[in-house]
Amino acid sequence: MSFSIDRQTMDELNLLGKFRQGSVYHLFNHVKTRGGERLLDEMFRSPLQDAISINQRSSVFRFFQDAALQFPFDVPQLNIMREYMDSGAGKSAMAALAGTFMKKMLSSLTRDERYRKIVQGLQATIVTLNKCNAFAELLLPKGGPFTARVQAAKQILSHPELTKLRNTDIYKDLPVSALAHYDHLLKGKLEKEINEILEFIYELDVNIAISSVAASKGFAYAKALPKEMNVFAVQDLRHPCIDKAVGNNLNMQEQSNVIFLTGANMAGKSTLMKSVGIAMYLAHMGFPLAVSQMEFSVREGLYSSINVADNISLGYSHFYAEVVRVKQAAEAAASGKRLLLMFDELFKGTNVKDAYDGTLAVTEAFSEYQDCIFIVSTHIIEVGEALKDTNNIRFVYMPTVMEGARPRYTYKLQEGITEDRQGMMIIRNEGILEMIGD
């Protein structure tokens, strides 16, 4: 079963986007190899679904962070090796020998580059295998959660034929027969093993890249708990892509599975919700997070409604698009899955009375799904007053501090329901009424 998340949620949290400045993917994309980038893509698109796997992966990242290792491989050499392995070889040793002889002859008679590429590919392979062997020998004494992968790579590199190849002097011309032998060996008999070594190198690339981001940003790792515990507890939660973001603490469990968040516009409600969603998603990947500490029960999916837009092509108004979104969330919650669901400013596309009634009814209904955890935000504070007798709802708000006639936002959660009503004050501060009057 895969982690359930839809395109809108991915976009609202800005999770993907290789070249999109400010995306979570862009934050972590410091890999050096194409294979490393492929693995990173797979991790982002396939969050893990059990606590053991999540904790195992995060322990590997933590191990690499503590070891503070640098990626030891020459990337152009790796690319040459990869192209060499992908070029294929004859099905038999005789066919490989005949093909190599032919390429050798053509290289001397014409400008055929294939023989030179075989030589360069073999040289790059020898260099890469030796660097991999040296790095494996560096890692083995350290022990830790990556030891089994290192031992598997070391066992391959200790194959007698590969040991002989690694001891070959790359600066000496090899006979055509030797080139053909190794060409057939690497692309035929030991093709699976060589590809495993390349995958091992790509894993090193990802592990070193992710752990270096954690070290430079001061990120920490979450502890995954079984899904039945229904816990989400985090300290100093921040948005990972915002420099100097303010941290906040949250604590949710089955008896308190709904957070009702109030605050003025611009007080930071949406950013907090995005921070929660990003942290939950990255935690399921086993990645480092912008927190000081976090425990969470494994979820089966994540669903948000933060930046709902109208859909002109389908004839949807903004309000109807919000209704459709809430319906989709209701269906997801009713499916029995253990989800995190977040709704920012429900029904802001309609009048205040309908928004009040709708927000109250939807929050009450969702609070009954105690296997899920919910965050609902609004600036209609009267809804909070009407929900005060619901036992499993926790009320928090983002405060506004008035400094004279100017509002200042602390972005620091407080318990309770806000009493801030600074909308008209902001309008007056901006001189809008005077402009209209003129």
Side-chain angles (χ1 to χ4, degrees):
M1 184 183 294
S2 61
F3 188 88
S4 178
I5 185 168
D6 65 3
R7 171 54 59 185
Q8 179 170 324
T9 303
M10 298 284 275
D11 289 344
E12 287 180 344
L13 302 181
N14 202 11
L15 290 170
L16 301 181
K18 189 179 301 183
F19 305 109
R20 187 189 302 161
Q21 198 75 25
S23 74
V24 179
Y25 184 99
H26 187 270
L27 174 69
F28 286 102
N29 187 18
H30 292 271
V31 294
K32 299 179 182 300
T33 65
R34 285 173 288 182
E37 193 169 85
R38 173 179 52 78
L39 286 181
L40 186 64
D41 287 348
E42 290 173 3
M43 289 178 177
F44 261 89
R45 296 184 184 279
S46 304
L48 301 172
Q49 281 285 272
D50 68 276
I52 293 173
S53 299
I54 291 168
N55 291 331
Q56 169 67 19
R57 182 182 283 172
S58 61
S59 71
V60 170
F61 289 140
R62 191 182 292 110
F63 166 78
F64 276 87
Q65 183 176 341
D66 292 341
L69 300 165
Q70 300 295 315
F71 190 64
F73 299 92
D74 182 89
V75 176
Q77 291 272 23
L78 265 174
N79 291 338
I80 292 171
M81 177 182 175
R82 178 76 272 174
E83 291 170 8
Y84 170 69
M85 288 299 300
D86 289 343
S87 63
K91 294 182 179 180
S92 67
M94 287 301 296
L97 181 61
T100 306
F101 266 118
M102 180 62 70
K103 292 181 181 73
K104 171 73 170 175
M105 289 176 56
L106 289 172
S107 70
S108 60
L109 296 173
T110 67
R111 293 183 177 180
D112 194 299
E113 294 287 306
R114 288 177 296 173
Y115 182 77
R116 183 179 62 84
K117 287 187 176 181
I118 291 175
V119 174
Q120 290 178 337
L122 190 60
Q123 289 172 336
T125 300
I126 293 169
V127 170
T128 300
L129 293 179
N130 277 321
K131 286 188 176 181
C132 191
N133 187 68
F135 200 65
E137 289 180 347
L138 174 68
L139 286 175
L140 275 176
K142 296 180 181 295
F146 202 62
T147 300
R149 291 291 295 124
V150 180
Q151 289 173 335
K154 186 71 174 126
Q155 185 174 357
I156 292 172
L157 293 164
S158 300
H159 188 285
E161 290 269 31
L162 290 183
T163 301
K164 183 179 177 182
L165 175 63
R166 288 195 293 106
N167 290 325
T168 300
D169 187 345
I170 64 170
Y171 299 106
K172 288 185 178 179
D173 288 338
L174 281 176
V176 173
S177 57
L179 280 173
H181 168 72
Y182 285 124
D183 198 57
H184 176 64
L185 175 75
L186 295 171
K187 300 177 187 177
K189 181 180 176 182
L190 296 180
E191 179 185 17
K192 179 175 176 289
E193 287 80 0
I194 297 301
N195 283 323
E196 286 179 12
I197 291 295
L198 284 168
E199 286 299 309
F200 174 72
I201 292 170
Y202 300 149
E203 285 182 48
L204 292 176
D205 187 14
V206 171
N207 293 338
I208 291 170
I210 301 305
S211 62
S212 67
V213 171
S216 66
K217 295 285 187 178
F219 289 175
Y221 299 89
K223 179 182 179 182
L225 304 171
K227 62 183 180 182
E228 295 78 15
M229 295 181 68
N230 221 39
V231 169
F232 176 68
V234 60
Q235 294 182 16
D236 195 28
L237 169 71
R238 311 177 302 281
H239 194 296
C241 302
I242 298 177
D243 291 335
K244 299 180 181 178
V246 175
N248 280 290
N249 301 340
L250 286 172
N251 195 338
M252 304 176 74
Q253 54 273 327
E254 200 158 355
Q255 295 76 29
S256 179
N257 68 312
V258 181
I259 284 182
F260 192 82
L261 173 63
T262 52
N265 290 326
M266 300 189 296
K269 301 190 301 296
S270 299
T271 299
L272 176 67
M273 297 176 85
K274 290 177 183 180
S275 301
V276 170
I278 291 168
M280 186 67 87
Y281 194 81
L282 289 176
H284 281 79
M285 294 163 55
F287 271 43
L289 317 169
V291 303
S292 61
Q293 189 174 332
M294 176 169 153
E295 287 188 341
F296 72 101
S297 299
V298 173
R299 302 285 87 189
E300 294 171 273
L302 168 59
Y303 196 96
S304 71
S305 180
I306 297 175
N307 301 318
V308 178
D310 56 12
N311 192 320
I312 296 172
S313 63
L314 292 176
Y316 287 6
S317 67
H318 186 274
F319 173 65
Y320 188 69
E322 288 183 299
V323 172
V324 169
R325 190 68 180 156
V326 171
K327 179 184 177 184
Q328 292 168 345
E331 291 170 345
S335 70
K337 289 183 177 181
R338 295 175 182 269
L339 307 169
L340 164 63
L341 301 102
M342 302 185 296
F343 305 92
D344 185 30
E345 299 285 4
L346 277 169
F347 308 124
K348 53 183 172 282
T350 188
N351 64 76
V352 175
K353 178 64 170 67
D354 284 346
Y356 168 89
D357 292 339
T359 301
L360 176 59
V362 167
T363 305
E364 286 180 325
F366 276 131
S367 69
E368 296 179 7
Y369 292 100
Q370 295 199 8
D371 285 342
C372 296
I373 57 178
F374 300 88
I375 303 177
V376 177
S377 84
T378 184
H379 63 273
I380 305 174
I381 61 177
E382 292 81 5
V383 179
E385 298 296 334
L387 290 168
K388 275 192 170 179
D389 292 333
T390 308
N391 293 330
N392 60 321
I393 297 180
R394 179 187 171 198
F395 299 92
V396 296
Y397 69 96
M398 286 291 197
T400 303
V401 178
M402 296 307 299
E403 296 178 341
R406 292 282 174 183
R408 177 174 62 84
Y409 306 107
T410 69
Y411 308 118
K412 198 73 178 175
L413 272 180
Q414 294 188 21
E415 296 287 335
I417 300 172
T418 186
E419 295 181 359
D420 298 334
R421 297 177 182 273
Q422 278 84 36
M424 275 306 298
M425 186 174 292
I426 293 171
I427 290 173
R428 290 191 184 99
N429 287 345
E430 295 302 317
I432 294 172
L433 300 179
E434 289 81 358
M435 291 170 63
I436 296 171
D438 292 341

